[in-house]
């Protein structure tokens, strides 16, 4: 499963076209991860990270079909291009229309590219493939890392607060009334109203009212409770259950305060007694109902945001507590050794037992060194994470020989390898030299190697280094416990460990740091794993940074956590 | 008044169960220095194997709680199942702040808080093995 591959969002409802696109993207030379939205609403939910898409990654490129169910492709394009963050994502229109006016209009709405749906499988594959080459090898895309910096927070995790609707000059009222005379009365008294004017839609059944609400844009419903197909308070509750966000004013022939109370308590905006009002009063009642209803909707959204934010905060606190408990165990372990150590030395010195001090000197010093090294590595990792979070991971570029780095590290890890009874074989073609940050590359390989030893069950580890097309590829393969499919993506998170923390040690930062370093070098990491067979981590790094030349060398960059 | 006659404590053997090799080494170094006989295990499973194979059981087990493969609590559970082993007192070792609760919960004979202090180690050893 590729991670940090380029993210493609395909917005397309035609299953045949989806299959074709999937096949074409598999052929790409660029590692990519495809997400599919089958209608316009789903697409916008994905892009705005709403609901189940809370963890969706922002696409690097969008393929958009113009004919979509629920929300039309043009509307989707309009919404993307009017969002200050989403508008930086290139949108490629794939449409079967070759009409000049369609093409012109679509470009006018901010489309980045318009492609007429090619006929024939091979044509399709060729075109999609050249699109990939063009957008990811020729074009310089907006840097994802900087987008956040320039535009602030990325598309919100929380539902958007609706903008206050300006009460229009015309209010559309759905009058649900089965008595002709009453319907006529409403029409007559509202007709002279100018501020606002009223556009009336009349329905005489609950069923037809429901239909109208599904298809028409309606501001407020004036609802008679007693209709041929529904009677009493139930008429209101049934309609409100189906359309919880519409303003409803209930009208009945009876001045029954019991019923009035009931409908108001269930959420109706108002209750009026028929023929007991004039045009001015009804106009005001309808306007207020719309306004009040809007305020209620806004409050509901604010409440939902509030509770979503609280859940997030609670999760974050829980994660932090868990981390603190692991961190304190990890930090105390070497300290336990160190303190024992210093106490023993003191005691031996107090006892004046020189012989014993010197006899055991080497081993004692070794322990001291081991545990101090362990402690400083833990602290270094913690500092790295806080640097990354603060966007302060600075890279210093120089020519780095990958073979040299790996050989060097293997030499240094010999003691650990021996302890784990692990054999390492290194397969490499020739000198693979890239323009990278040497220290960070060392750290990346060390972390992967540490994992391979830790989870490798003492079985052989294989390291492969190769170079193709301006990329260096390094893979570390173990034959250990393997990783469950559902854990693959999660394990790159901060403080995440797949196995119970007590069992393996470490802070759960290794892969997170690996990912951040790979990102900073514009690289890609993938992992292939099978339970009980082992895991292979493959890192692909461009030999030189081309996407954002030089900038990174002189400026702090922001990394996406 | 009758005095209860306690058996002379002659067993000087201590089993140290600890996964951090350096700590394990230092513990046995010090306890041996004080005249005790120390056997070591790197996790619960290792400890059980050693205990089941030995004829002379230790006077006390110093048990780390957080270990790979089989941790401290799991070891105690297994130990209780074996009638021969269940009577050996267990002293738990942990850096946890709630170590007293943990000791009660596990029905341990005692506890040693990490980072360990030599005088606590010595006092505990003397309690179960007598003066070496």
């Amino acid at each position: 499963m590729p991670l940090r591959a380029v993210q493609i969002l395909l917005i397309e409802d035609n299953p045949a076209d989806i299959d074709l696109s999937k096949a074409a993207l598999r052929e790409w030379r660029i590692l990519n991860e495809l997400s599919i939205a089958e209608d316009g609403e789903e697409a916008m939910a994905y892009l705005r990270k709403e609901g189940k898409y809370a963890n969706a990654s922002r696409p690097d490129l969008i393929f958009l079909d113009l004919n979509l169910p629920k929300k039309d492709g043009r509307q989707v394009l309009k919404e993307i291009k009017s969002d200050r963050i989403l508008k930086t994502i290139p949108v490629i229109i794939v449409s079967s229309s070759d009409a000049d006016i369609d093409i012109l209009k679509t470009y006018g709405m901010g489309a980045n590219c318009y492609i007429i749906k090619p006929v024939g499988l091979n044509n399709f594959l060729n075109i999609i493939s050249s699109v990939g080459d063009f957008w990811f090898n020729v074009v310089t895309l907006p840097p994802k890392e900087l987008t956040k910096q320039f535009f602030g927070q990325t598309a919100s995790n929380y539902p958007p607060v609706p903008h206050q609707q300006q009460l229009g000059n015309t209010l559309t009222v759905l009058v649900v009334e089965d008595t002709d005379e009453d319907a006529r009365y409403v029409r007559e008294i509202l007709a002279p109203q100018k501020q606002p004017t009223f556009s009336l839609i009349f329905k005489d059944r609950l069923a037809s009212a429901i239909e109208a609400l599904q298809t028409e844009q309606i501001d407020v419903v004036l609802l008679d409770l007693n209709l041929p197909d529904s009677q009493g308070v139930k008429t209101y509750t049934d309609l409100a259950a189906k359309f919880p966000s519409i303003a409803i004013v209930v009208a009945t022939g009876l001045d029954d305060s019991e019923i009035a109370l009931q409908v108001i308590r269930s959420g109706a905006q108002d209750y009026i007694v028929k023929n007991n009002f004039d045009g001015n009063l009804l106009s005001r009642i309808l306007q207020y109902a719309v306004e009040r209803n809007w305020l209620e909707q806004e409050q509901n959204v604010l409440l939902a945001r509030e509770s979503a934010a609280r859940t997030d905060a609670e999760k974050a606190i829980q994660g932090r507590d868990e981390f603190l408990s692991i961190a304190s165990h990890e930090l105390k372990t070497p300290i336990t050794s160190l303190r024992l150590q210093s106490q023993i030395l003191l005691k031996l010195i107090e006892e004046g037992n020189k012989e014993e001090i010197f006899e055991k000197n080497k081993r004692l010093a070794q322990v001291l060194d081991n545990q101090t090294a362990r402690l400083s590595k833990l602290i270094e990792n913690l500092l790295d994470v806080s640097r990354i979070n603060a966007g302060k991971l600075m890279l210093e570029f120089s020519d780095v020989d990958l073979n040299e780095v790996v050989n060097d590290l293997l030499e240094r890890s010999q003691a650990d390898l021996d302890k784990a009874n692990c054999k390492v074989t290194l397969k490499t073609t020739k000198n693979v030299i890239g323009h990278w940050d040497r220290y960070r590359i060392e750290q990346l390989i060390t972390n992967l190697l540490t994992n391979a030893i830790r989870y490798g069950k003492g079985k052989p580890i294989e390291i492969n280094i190769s170079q193709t097309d301006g990329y260096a590829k390094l893979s570390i393969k173990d034959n250990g416990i393997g990783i469950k499919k559902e854990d693959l993506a999660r394990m790159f998170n901060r403080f995440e460990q797949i196995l119970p923390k007590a069992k393996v040690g470490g802070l759960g930062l290794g892969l997170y740091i690996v990912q951040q370093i790979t990102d900073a070098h514009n690289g890609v990491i993938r992992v292939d794993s099978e339970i009980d067979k082992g895991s292979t981590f493959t890192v692909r790094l461009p030999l030189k940074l081309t996407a954002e030349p030089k900038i990174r060398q002189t400026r702090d960059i922001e990394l996406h956590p | 008044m009758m005095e209860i006659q306690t058996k002379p404590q002659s067993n000087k053997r201590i089993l140290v169960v600890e996964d951090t090799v350096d700590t394990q080494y230092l513990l046995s170094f010090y306890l041996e220095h004080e005249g005790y006989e120390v056997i070591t295990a790197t996790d619960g499973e290792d400890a059980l194997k050693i205990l089941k194979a030995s004829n002379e059981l230790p006077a006390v087990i110093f048990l780390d709680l957080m270990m790979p493969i089989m941790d401290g609590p799991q070891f105690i559970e297994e130990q209780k199942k074996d009638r021969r082993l269940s009577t050996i007192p267990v002293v738990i070792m942990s850096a946890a702040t709630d170590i007293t609760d943990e000791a009660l919960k596990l029905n341990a004979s005692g506890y040693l808080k990490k980072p360990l202090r030599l005088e606590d180690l010595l006092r505990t050893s003397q309690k179960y093995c007598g003066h070496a």
Side-chain angles (χ1 to χ4, degrees), chain A residues 332 337 343 347 351 356 371, chain B residues 22-23 33-34 95 116 118:
Chain A
K332 275 174 182 166
S337 288
Q343 292 176 74
K347 193 171 170 70
E351 287 174 1
E356 203 166 5
Q371 297 303 325
Chain B
D22 285 337
T23 306
H33 175 80
E34 293 292 346
L116 300 162
L118 292 189

Side-chain angles (χ1 to χ4, degrees), chain B residues 26-115:
Chain B
L26 291 167
L27 276 170
S28 47
F29 176 87
Y30 173 68
L31 292 172
E32 277 167 9
H33 175 80
E34 293 292 346
Y36 294 94
E37 185 191 339
V38 181
I39 39 181
T40 55
T42 45
D43 63 69
E45 205 175 278
D46 194 20
L48 276 180
K49 217 185 292 168
I50 290 171
L51 287 172
K52 284 184 175 164
S54 72
N55 294 323
E56 285 174 77
L57 293 177
V60 63
I61 299 170
F62 289 173
L63 178 74
D64 183 26
L65 287 188
M66 277 172 119
M67 290 179 296
I69 306 172
M70 183 190 283
D71 64 17
Q74 284 171 316
F75 167 81
I76 291 178
E77 207 173 294
E78 290 301 314
Q79 185 211 0
K80 277 183 198 148
K81 289 183 195 160
D82 188 316
R83 279 181 63 186
R84 197 172 73 99
L85 306 183
S86 62
T87 52
I88 311 170
V90 174
V91 173
I92 61 168
M93 302 185 289
S94 166
T97 40
D98 58 352
I99 185 167
T100 45
D101 296 346
E102 201 68 24
L104 276 174
K105 206 171 76 194
L106 294 170
N107 203 12
S109 305
Y111 64 87
L112 285 165
K113 182 144 175 53
K114 285 181 173 180

Side-chain angles (χ1 to χ4, degrees), chain A residues 60-346:
Chain A
D60 297 288
L61 196 67
I62 298 172
F63 285 101
L64 175 64
D65 178 17
L66 285 185
N67 292 315
L68 290 172
K70 289 194 187 166
K71 188 175 273 179
D72 188 58
R74 289 164 195 86
Q75 182 61 30
V76 172
L77 179 62
K78 203 169 125 192
E79 287 182 25
I80 292 172
K81 290 303 173 188
S82 57
D83 183 299
R84 62 199 181 117
I85 292 153
L86 298 178
K87 73 176 171 193
T88 60
I89 306 171
V91 179
I92 296 175
I93 305 296
V94 183
S95 166
S96 41
S97 163
D98 60 356
D100 286 350
I101 186 73
D102 279 348
I103 299 169
L104 187 63
K105 265 188 183 166
T106 315
Y107 275 113
M109 289 165 76
N112 302 78
C113 169
Y114 189 102
I115 294 172
I116 296 164
K117 242 177 221 177
V119 183
L121 175 67
N122 276 336
N123 280 341
F124 196 95
L125 293 182
N126 283 340
I127 285 182
I128 296 297
S129 151
S130 52
V131 165
D133 278 343
F134 178 71
W135 285 98
F136 291 104
N137 288 335
V138 180
V139 167
T140 302
L141 289 170
K144 264 190 174 178
E145 295 85 359
L146 291 176
T147 319
K148 197 168 152 193
Q149 207 163 303
F150 284 133
F151 300 106
Q153 202 52 46
T154 39
S156 168
N157 285 334
Y158 311 122
V161 179
H163 293 290
Q164 168 110 44
Q165 296 152 337
Q166 213 57 68
L167 271 186
N169 288 328
T170 304
L171 274 186
T172 308
V173 187
L174 174 64
V175 184
V176 190
E177 176 61 72
D178 62 325
T179 317
D180 283 349
E181 196 191 322
D182 292 342
R184 209 162 40 241
Y185 178 71
V186 169
R187 191 200 309 275
E188 276 165 17
I189 59 166
L190 286 180
Q193 292 294 323
K194 294 286 171 250
Q195 280 277 321
T197 57
F198 290 90
S199 151
L200 304 178
I201 300 170
F202 288 92
K203 297 290 172 198
D204 58 1
R205 298 279 192 285
L206 182 63
S208 49
I210 288 171
E211 223 164 84
L213 279 164
Q214 273 159 349
T215 50
E216 310 279 337
Q217 193 69 44
I218 284 158
D219 296 311
V220 53
V221 180
L222 184 61
L223 180 69
D224 181 5
L225 285 185
N226 292 317
L227 299 167
D229 58 345
S230 179
Q231 284 83 39
V233 178
K234 195 173 172 299
T235 309
Y236 167 77
T237 48
D238 283 359
L239 191 67
K242 266 204 151 59
F243 303 94
S245 58
I246 193 90
I248 301 175
V249 174
V250 170
T252 67
L254 289 172
D255 190 357
D256 184 335
S257 61
E258 188 57 36
I259 293 180
L261 263 177
Q262 267 188 54
V263 292
I264 294 296
R265 277 189 189 142
S266 341
Q269 292 302 342
D270 215 333
Y271 174 91
I272 52 174
V273 178
K274 278 187 199 171
N275 303 328
N276 204 6
F277 47 80
D278 62 7
N280 288 336
L281 180 59
L282 183 58
S283 166
R284 227 175 21 240
I285 284 172
L286 292 173
Q287 284 178 66
Y288 289 176
V290 171
E291 195 71 18
R292 257 199 317 271
N293 180 60
W294 181 82
L295 285 171
E296 269 171 28
Q297 297 303 319
E298 187 195 39
Q299 240 162 32
N300 287 343
V301 172
L302 285 173
L303 264 174
R305 285 173 68 107
E306 199 64 33
S307 97
R310 206 189 44 217
T311 313
D312 281 1
E314 278 166 0
K315 252 191 242 156
I317 290 170
Q318 194 192 344
R320 196 193 56 192
D321 288 349
E322 207 172 290
F323 169 71
L324 281 176
S325 103
I326 303 156
S328 67
H329 174 256
E330 282 299 307
L331 292 170
K332 275 174 182 166
T333 302
I335 287 176
T336 298
S337 288
L338 287 171
R339 281 224 56 195
L340 260 181
Q341 166 78 9
S342 53
Q343 292 176 74
I344 290 173
L345 276 175
L346 271 174

Side-chain angles (χ1 to χ4, degrees), chain A residues 496-511:
Chain A
E496 198 76 70
Q497 278 178 334
I498 301 309
L499 296 178
K501 322 245 173 200
K503 301 267 179 188
V504 285
L507 291 175
L509 295 175
L511 282 180

Side-chain angles (χ1 to χ4, degrees), chain A residues 267-486:
Chain A
Q269 292 302 342
D270 215 333
Y271 174 91
I272 52 174
V273 178
K274 278 187 199 171
N275 303 328
N276 204 6
F277 47 80
D278 62 7
N280 288 336
L281 180 59
L282 183 58
S283 166
R284 227 175 21 240
I285 284 172
L286 292 173
Q287 284 178 66
Y288 289 176
V290 171
E291 195 71 18
R292 257 199 317 271
N293 180 60
W294 181 82
L295 285 171
E296 269 171 28
Q297 297 303 319
E298 187 195 39
Q299 240 162 32
N300 287 343
V301 172
L302 285 173
L303 264 174
R305 285 173 68 107
E306 199 64 33
S307 97
R310 206 189 44 217
T311 313
D312 281 1
E314 278 166 0
K315 252 191 242 156
I317 290 170
Q318 194 192 344
R320 196 193 56 192
D321 288 349
E322 207 172 290
F323 169 71
L324 281 176
S325 103
I326 303 156
S328 67
H329 174 256
E330 282 299 307
L331 292 170
K332 275 174 182 166
T333 302
I335 287 176
T336 298
S337 288
L338 287 171
R339 281 224 56 195
L340 260 181
Q341 166 78 9
S342 53
Q343 292 176 74
I344 290 173
L345 276 175
L346 271 174
K347 193 171 170 70
L348 292 179
I349 290 165
E350 276 164 15
E351 287 174 1
N353 193 339
K354 277 187 195 138
E355 205 176 296
E356 203 166 5
I357 300 175
F358 287 112
E359 195 184 314
K360 312 276 178 164
N361 212 351
K362 189 165 178 221
R363 178 69 207 260
L364 289 177
Q366 189 63 50
V367 170
L368 203 65
D369 192 51
N370 286 349
Q371 297 303 325
T372 318
R374 181 168 172 179
L375 204 54
S376 63
K377 200 168 147 196
L378 282 169
I379 292 168
E380 195 52 47
N381 273 343
L382 277 174
L383 287 177
D384 274 343
V385 170
S386 73
R387 269 186 213 122
I388 289 167
N389 285 345
K392 290 209 169 85
L393 185 66
M394 281 270 273
L395 298 185
E396 281 170 45
F397 288 85
S398 64
D399 283 337
V400 180
D401 182 340
L402 204 52
N403 284 313
E404 193 193 304
V405 171
V406 171
N407 278 316
D408 201 29
L409 286 176
L410 283 178
E411 217 163 281
R412 276 193 257 163
S413 316
Q414 202 51 55
D416 289 335
L417 287 165
D418 289 346
K419 205 158 78 186
N421 203 12
C422 245
K423 276 210 172 66
V424 178
T425 51
L426 173 61
K427 281 186 197 159
T428 174
T429 41
K430 51 169 184 168
N431 288 343
V432 180
I433 296 169
H435 200 62
W436 302 312
D437 182 317
R438 187 189 172 100
Y439 171 69
R440 295 297 167 190
I441 294 296
E442 276 180 9
Q443 198 181 8
L444 182 158
I445 301 169
T446 308
N447 288 0
L448 289 179
L449 190 61
T450 308
N451 279 351
I453 297 172
R454 188 180 284 164
Y455 302 105
K457 293 200 298 196
K459 292 187 180 157
I461 295 171
E462 208 177 283
I463 304 180
N464 265 294
I465 299 173
S466 63
Q467 181 184 331
T468 39
D469 288 351
Y471 282 89
K473 201 165 89 177
L474 169 108
S475 70
I476 298 186
K477 177 178 192 295
D478 68 59
N479 292 289
I481 58 174
I483 306 153
K484 275 193 220 133
K485 215 171 175 149
E486 59 265 33

